[in-house]
Amino acid sequence: MNRLFTVFGAVCILILSGCKKKEDLSPSYHRGEMTVLTDESFKSVTEALAEGYMITYPDTKIKVETKKEDLGFLDLLNDRARLVVMSRELSAEEIKEYEKQVELKYNPAKFAADAVIFVVPKDYPKDMISLKEIEEGLQSDAKNFVFDGTNSSNLNFVAQRFKKEPKDLKFSIIPGNENVIEELNKYPGKIGVIGLNSISRPFDKNAEKLRSMIKILPIETKGTAYSPNLDGLREMKYPFTRVLYFLTNEGNFNIANGFIRYSCTQLGQMIVEKEGLQPYNIYRREVQMR
C-alpha cells in the first residue's frame, strides 16, 4: 500500500510539474517572438528600442521589418502584423475601420518626436528654404523635391501638412532615404526629402558619413527660420515635426503591449534620446544649485 501511494504521489508531481512548465511557456510580455513593421525612415529608433527590450527580456525575440507606412497599417488591420510604427495622423474613416477590424479603441502610443527634413549637397547655394517655396515647388512640373518613394511616411506627412493627397503633389523619387542622400549630387537643383532618424544617431559611422554629404535646410515661416534640432522638435516649432507612435491589435498584455510600455517608460525614452530624437514622454530636467 505504501508503495502504491509513493507511485501515485510521484505521478501527481510529474503531472503538476508538467502543467507548471506548460504554463511557464505561455505567451507573455517577457517571452515570445514578434515582428514590428516600420517605415524605413524610422527604422533606426525602432531597432534600438527592440535591442533594448531583448536585452531586458532575454526570452523575447523582436524582428524589425521595413514596410511603407500605409501598407504596414493595412497589415495590422488584416491581422498580418501585431505592431506597427506610424507618423501621420489617421483620418476619421481610418480610425473607424481600425476600431471595427481590431475591436479596440484607437489609442496611439506616442514615443518620439521626429521630423521630415529637406537636404541638399554641401555646395548647394541655398542655406534656407521657406514654407511657401516648398508648397509652390510641390505643384511645379520641375519636380525639384526628391522623396524616397510613394506610400512613404515622408511623402504622406508632407502631403498631410499641406492638406493634400500625395497624388496631388509633383515630385521625383529615388528609392530609400540613404539613396536620396548618396545620389542627390547627380541632380543639380534637386532637394532631398528624408526622415531625420535616417541620419540622427550621433555616433553611428554610417549616419556620420551621410551627414557629411549634405546640409539640412532650415525652414522659414512668418519671418523666422526653424531647424529640426531638439529645441525645434520639443516645442513643435519646426514645421515638419512629426510624432512617432505605435498601433497594435493585441488586446491583452503580451509582447506587443509590453514593448509599447517599455518604449514609453524612462529607459525606452533614454534610447530615443540617444537616437538623436526628442523623447515624447520625458524631458531633460535642469537643476541650478546656488
Side-chain angles (χ1 to χ4, degrees):
M1 181 65 72
N2 288 338
R3 184 179 178 184
L4 181 62
F5 277 124
T6 301
V7 172
F8 179 74
V11 171
C12 288
I13 290 170
L14 287 172
I15 292 172
L16 289 173
S17 64
C19 291
K20 184 177 181 182
K21 184 177 181 181
K22 185 177 180 180
E23 181 183 349
D24 286 345
L25 292 177
S26 61
S28 172
Y29 71 93
H30 57 80
R31 182 189 304 111
E33 298 184 7
M34 177 183 67
T35 297
V36 184
L37 299 184
T38 177
D39 191 274
E40 181 214 354
S41 296
F42 20 88
K43 179 185 177 184
S44 182
V45 67
T46 308
E47 285 182 334
L49 288 167
E51 289 167 6
Y53 194 80
M54 289 186 287
I55 290 171
T56 304
Y57 302 108
D59 291 330
T60 61
K61 184 178 180 181
I62 298 177
K63 179 183 176 183
V64 177
E65 183 178 312
T66 57
K67 201 159 200 176
K68 296 300 184 185
E69 189 174 43
D70 288 345
L71 300 179
F73 178 65
L74 288 175
D75 278 357
L76 185 76
L77 292 185
N78 294 312
D79 203 27
R80 292 193 293 265
R82 267 192 283 174
L83 187 65
V84 297
V85 185
M86 300 287 294
S87 63
R88 70 171 178 85
E89 295 180 8
L90 298 186
S91 66
E93 292 77 14
E94 287 173 321
I95 293 173
K96 183 178 179 181
E97 189 64 21
Y98 169 83
E99 293 182 341
K100 176 184 175 182
Q101 296 280 22
V102 176
E103 297 182 341
L104 293 172
K105 290 294 292 181
Y106 174 67
N107 185 27
K110 301 173 181 179
F111 67 94
D114 183 31
V116 175
I117 59 175
F118 295 76
V119 301
V120 291
K122 288 285 189 180
D123 59 355
Y124 192 81
K126 287 177 70 71
D127 293 311
M128 184 174 64
I129 190 169
S130 71
L131 197 61
K132 184 178 180 181
E133 284 180 274
I134 296 172
E135 186 172 18
E136 291 176 350
L138 289 169
Q139 300 299 319
S140 170
D141 290 331
K143 298 182 179 180
N144 283 333
F145 292 96
V146 184
F147 287 83
D148 58 313
T150 56
N151 289 319
S152 74
S153 64
N154 300 322
L155 178 60
N156 287 342
F157 188 80
V158 171
Q160 191 172 69
R161 174 67 176 76
F162 290 118
K163 296 180 172 56
K164 303 278 187 182
E165 292 294 326
K167 63 181 176 59
D168 298 327
L169 304 181
K170 297 179 180 180
F171 54 89
S172 303
I173 289 177
I174 296 176
N177 285 263
E178 291 190 15
N179 291 333
V180 170
I181 294 172
E182 291 172 345
E183 298 182 25
L184 198 57
N185 60 3
K186 298 178 183 178
Y187 307 97
K190 302 293 185 182
I191 298 173
V193 188
I194 64 171
L196 176 62
N197 188 224
S198 302
I199 59 170
S200 64
R201 189 177 286 189
F203 306 110
D204 179 75
K205 295 297 183 184
N206 189 53
E208 287 180 358
K209 182 196 80 170
L210 294 172
R211 287 196 299 269
S212 72
M213 299 171 67
I214 56 170
K215 60 181 177 181
I216 300 172
L217 296 178
I219 296 176
E220 181 270 326
T221 176
K222 296 180 180 179
T224 304
Y226 299 99
S227 296
N229 52 29
L230 290 183
D231 288 338
L233 301 184
R234 182 182 301 116
E235 298 176 15
M236 305 284 289
K237 288 183 176 179
Y238 178 72
F240 293 95
T241 303
R242 61 183 174 188
V243 175
L244 305 184
Y245 63 92
F246 294 110
L247 274 183
T248 183
N249 55 15
E250 184 179 86
N252 47 21
F253 193 72
N254 284 336
I255 188 169
N257 279 308
F259 180 64
I260 289 172
R261 185 180 70 172
Y262 171 86
S263 300
C264 296
T265 56
Q266 185 174 12
L267 187 55
Q269 293 292 279
M270 289 170 65
I271 292 173
V272 169
E273 189 171 35
K274 287 182 178 179
E275 277 287 306
L277 301 182
Q278 171 60 47
Y280 186 83
N281 293 296
I282 62 170
Y283 295 93
R284 184 183 299 279
R285 293 176 174 83
E286 293 184 0
V287 179
Q288 292 185 350
M289 302 295 290
R290 295 184 177 180

